Every structure is written in C-alpha cells, then in structure tokens.
C-alpha cells in the first residue's frame, strides 16, 4: 500500500475499533470478507448482513458518523503526542501477534517497537506483584543476562516481577517492551512513570483509557504472543501469570517456570506449571539453550580489589556462604568482609540465606 492508502486503511480499522459491538474477531471477519476495512465501511447493509459472525447489533453501527469522528480525532491526537498506531494487515504490525485467535485491530505504541517476526527473539517475564526478595533478585539476573544476549524482554509494567524485569533489562543496555492494561499515556502504577519512559509501550486501548481489572487478563495474551517463550517466576494458582502462561501455550510458545519454596503460595503457580510440563529454569542460559539461541556474553566485571573480585565472579547464581567458600577458597571472615563491601557498593545482596549479584 502507498502511505496515503495505508493512512486511509488505518483510519478505517480505527473506525471499526470504535464501532460498538465489534471486537477484534468481528473486525477481522469484516476485513477478510471485503478485502479491507475501508471496503467494509463502504459496504451496503445487505452485504454486511451476509458476513459470518455478525449479528444485527454488530451491523447497526458500521459506517455511522460517531466512530469515524472518533477515529479521526484519535489519529490527530496520536500524531501530536508522538504515539504510533499500527493496524492489522499494515506495515509495522507485529507478525508475532498472528499467533493469537483475536489479535487487536489496532495497536498504540509509544517508543521504538523492535521487530516481532512470527517467532520473535523476545522473552516474556511475568510474576506476582508481591514477589519475594529472592524472586526479584533472580528476575533481575534473568532479564539482564537475556538483554546482554540481545533478547527483548516483554512484561506488563506491574509492580514486583514485571518492574524488576523491565529495570534490569534496560539497565543492562537491552530493549524492554511494556504491554499495558491502560493507554500508553496512562501509566499504571504511577510510580513506574519514570521507568515507562525507558521502555517501548504497547496497548490495544485508545489514549486516556485508564486501567481496569478486566483489561489485565486481556493484555496478557499480547505479552504471550510477542514472546517466543514466557517465564513465570512467582504466582499464585489464580493469577495473571498463569493466564499469560496459558495464552503462551495456546500460541505454541514455550513456557518456563522457576521453582520456589515448598508451601509458599507464590510458588504454587510455577510448581503447577512444572508438573504440567513447563521447562524448569533458574538462569538465562537455561532459556537460551532450550530455545537454541546463543549464550549471553558474560557481564563485564567491575574494577575491584582481588578478594572482592573473586567473590563477585563467583556470584553467577544465588549462592550460600558454603558455596562461596568452596568457589573462592577464602576464609569465612574474609568472605563475609568481601560480601559486606559488595553489598555497600550495591553490587550484591543477601536474600533468604543466599547471596546474589544485584
């Protein structure tokens, strides 16, 4: 399509998006039946009635003035605010979303969206908002190492695991995509407003749409489809994380789960996934090996005194004092001194009796 035709078709798709009683599936039925969204808007009522999957209520609003005006206003405002709109079937729309049964007709994007082919080099990392310190530390390691391997990290910008995944990815120099349950100009939770500026944001909701409880399970399918695999770090049995994992399986994606502490409700979700065949993971290497991708390069070591450098180099995964003594050969007092110094410099943290890099 030429740019002019692209713009015309995008306006038509957006018009259908604003038409009452038309969801993604019905919009796609119309687009495929008539060859384009523009042709569907111009079709006579008798032809519209013959489209499979449409009822009288769905047909009634097609081609009316209000949705057209809303679409024109949204396009103009998005252009003013630096938000890109991507229409299904048009250039730039992620091919990966075609794995869904109901891809959004239109996506709102703030920032530079990386390429998302049918099988994208991207991994979704999800988990509970009330994550344990151990889970947050492990999430940071996973996301940072994946970023250094050139993997885009996708999550939902929620508190807890999502926030840790996004932060670690961009801190490591990678690209992270936040899929929102609100508009790209309505950041939720508000404390992540600063973090959101460092991410590419994606939403299927028009500008000024606030967060709503029913939006979040729906947006989880987009996280799953944009990712070649989804990693569940922590999550209760009834949680959005497990919904995302279900969508991932429906998309033909790989599901990874991080084992947790027996009896912890936050570990119940990953443990159930593991029993059902999810791939056990504790490191980015587990994920990269399973997907057949090259390993992440080692993180550059900071310039440290010899004993601290030995301890830091040994902290490739969460480790106990006994583990670190065996790996470094240091006496317990020297090891503890080195760990305290690394902790003061913000390079290490102790979580649940294990030490890990921050």
């Amino acid at each position: 399509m030429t740019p002019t035709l692209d713009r015309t078709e995008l306006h038509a798709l957006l018009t259908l998006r604003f038409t009452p009683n038309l969801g993604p599936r019905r919009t796609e039925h119309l687009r495929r039946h008539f060859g384009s969204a523009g042709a569907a808007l111009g079709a006579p009522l008798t032809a519209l009635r013959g489209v499979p999957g449409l009822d009288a209520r769905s047909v009634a609003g097609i081609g009316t003035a209000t949705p057209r005006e809303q679409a024109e206003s949204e396009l103009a405002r998005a252009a003013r605010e630096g938000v890109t709109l991507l229409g299904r079937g048009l250039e730039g729309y992620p091919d990966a979303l075609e794995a869904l049964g109901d891809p959004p007709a239109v996506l709102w994007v703030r920032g530079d969206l990386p390429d998302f082919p049918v099988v994208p080099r991207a991994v979704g990392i999800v988990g509970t908002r009330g994550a344990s310190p151990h889970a947050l530390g492990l999430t940071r390691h996973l996301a940072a190492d994946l970023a250094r391997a050139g993997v885009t990290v996708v999550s939902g910008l929620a508190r807890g695991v999502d926030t840790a995944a996004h932060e670690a990815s961009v801190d490591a120099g990678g690209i992270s995509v936040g899929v929102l349950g609100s508009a790209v100009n309505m950041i939720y939770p508000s404390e992540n407003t600063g973090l959101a500026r460092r991410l590419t944001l994606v939403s299927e909701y028009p500008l000024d749409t606030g967060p709503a409880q029913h939006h979040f399970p729906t947006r989880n399918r987009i996280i799953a489809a944009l990712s070649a695999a989804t990693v569940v770090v922590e999550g209760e049995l009834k949680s959005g994380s497990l919904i995302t994992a279900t969508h991932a399986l429906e998309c033909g994606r790989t599901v990874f789960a991080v084992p947790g502490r027996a009896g912890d409700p936050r570990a119940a979700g990953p443990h159930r996934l593991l029993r059902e065949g999810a791939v056990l993971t504790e490191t980015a290497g587990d994920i990269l090996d399973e997907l057949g991708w090259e390993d992440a390069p080692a993180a550059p070591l900071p310039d440290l005194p010899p004993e601290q450098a030995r301890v830091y180099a040994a902290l490739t995964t969460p480790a106990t004092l006994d583990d670190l003594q065996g790996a470094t050969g240091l006496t317990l007092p020297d090891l503890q001194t080195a760990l305290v110094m690394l902790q003061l410099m913000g390079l290490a943290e102790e979580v649940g009796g294990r030490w890990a890099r921050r």
Side-chain angles (χ1 to χ4, degrees):
M1 286 189 178
T2 67
T4 299
L5 290 176
D6 262 358
R7 206 270 183 191
T8 301
E9 179 67 1
L10 179 59
H11 180 273
L13 282 167
L14 196 55
T15 299
L16 293 174
R17 167 64 178 78
F18 283 121
T19 300
N21 304 309
L22 286 184
R25 284 190 174 89
R26 285 172 172 169
T27 296
E28 184 61 9
H29 286 326
L30 285 164
R31 189 175 76 89
R32 290 184 180 274
H33 186 87
F34 292 104
S36 70
L41 284 174
L45 188 60
T46 52
L48 290 170
R49 286 172 175 159
V51 179
L54 266 68
D55 55 22
R57 288 202 319 151
S58 304
V59 170
I62 298 174
T64 55
T66 299
R68 288 182 187 272
E69 293 166 0
Q70 287 178 294
E72 189 62 44
S73 175
E74 189 77 6
L75 282 169
R77 185 174 172 200
R80 290 195 305 271
E81 297 192 12
V83 175
T84 302
L85 272 65
L86 302 176
R88 190 175 180 190
L90 301 178
E91 184 178 356
Y93 190 89
D95 291 336
L97 291 182
E98 295 300 328
L100 293 171
D102 59 344
V106 178
L107 280 182
W108 281 253
V109 179
R110 172 161 276 166
D112 297 323
L113 189 69
D115 186 32
F116 282 98
V118 174
V119 181
R121 190 176 174 82
V123 168
I125 301 179
V126 296
T128 183
R129 289 167 171 81
S132 68
H134 172 72
L136 294 177
L138 190 143
T139 297
R140 293 187 191 103
H141 283 292
L142 286 176
D145 287 345
L146 288 171
R148 282 189 283 267
V151 176
T152 297
V153 171
V154 183
S155 198
L157 199 61
R159 296 182 181 96
V161 167
D162 292 19
T163 295
H166 288 308
E167 286 178 340
S169 175
V170 294
D171 285 347
I175 298 171
S176 192
V177 174
V179 184
L180 307 186
S182 58
V184 295
N185 68 334
M186 299 288 287
I187 305 304
Y188 177 81
S190 59
E191 65 259 30
N192 277 346
T193 299
L195 174 60
R197 297 191 188 101
R198 307 174 66 197
L199 312 178
T200 294
L201 304 179
V202 173
S203 176
E204 62 182 308
Y205 300 108
L207 295 172
D208 290 343
T209 303
Q213 188 172 2
H214 64 279
H215 290 173
F216 295 99
T218 304
R219 70 91 194 267
N220 289 346
R221 80 195 198 287
I222 298 178
I223 295 174
L226 289 179
S227 308
T230 292
V231 183
V232 180
V233 180
E234 278 186 339
E236 294 80 0
L237 284 175
K238 294 183 179 180
S239 67
S241 302
L242 264 65
I243 293 173
T244 307
T246 299
H247 286 305
L249 292 171
E250 290 172 350
C251 290
R253 311 302 201 204
T254 304
V255 173
F256 294 87
V258 175
R261 187 174 55 194
D264 186 342
R266 295 170 295 192
H271 288 174
R272 174 176 161 185
L273 292 172
L274 289 168
R275 287 193 295 271
E276 293 175 352
V279 181
L280 187 150
T281 184
E282 295 178 296
T283 68
D286 296 335
I287 299 166
L288 296 167
D289 289 346
E290 180 70 22
L291 297 177
W293 295 345
E294 64 271 19
D295 288 340
L301 295 177
D303 186 15
L304 296 168
E307 290 185 350
Q308 293 172 32
R310 285 161 67 183
V311 175
Y312 187 80
L315 290 173
T316 53
T317 58
T320 65
L321 288 176
D322 287 343
D323 295 334
L324 293 172
Q325 271 195 281
T328 63
L330 295 175
T331 65
L332 183 58
D334 287 343
L335 174 60
Q336 290 174 322
T337 299
L339 286 169
V340 169
M341 295 305 297
L342 291 172
Q343 187 177 38
L344 291 173
M345 288 185 286
L347 296 175
E349 62 182 350
E350 193 270 335
V351 178
R354 292 179 180 268
W355 285 86
R357 292 182 189 178
R358 289 199 68 180

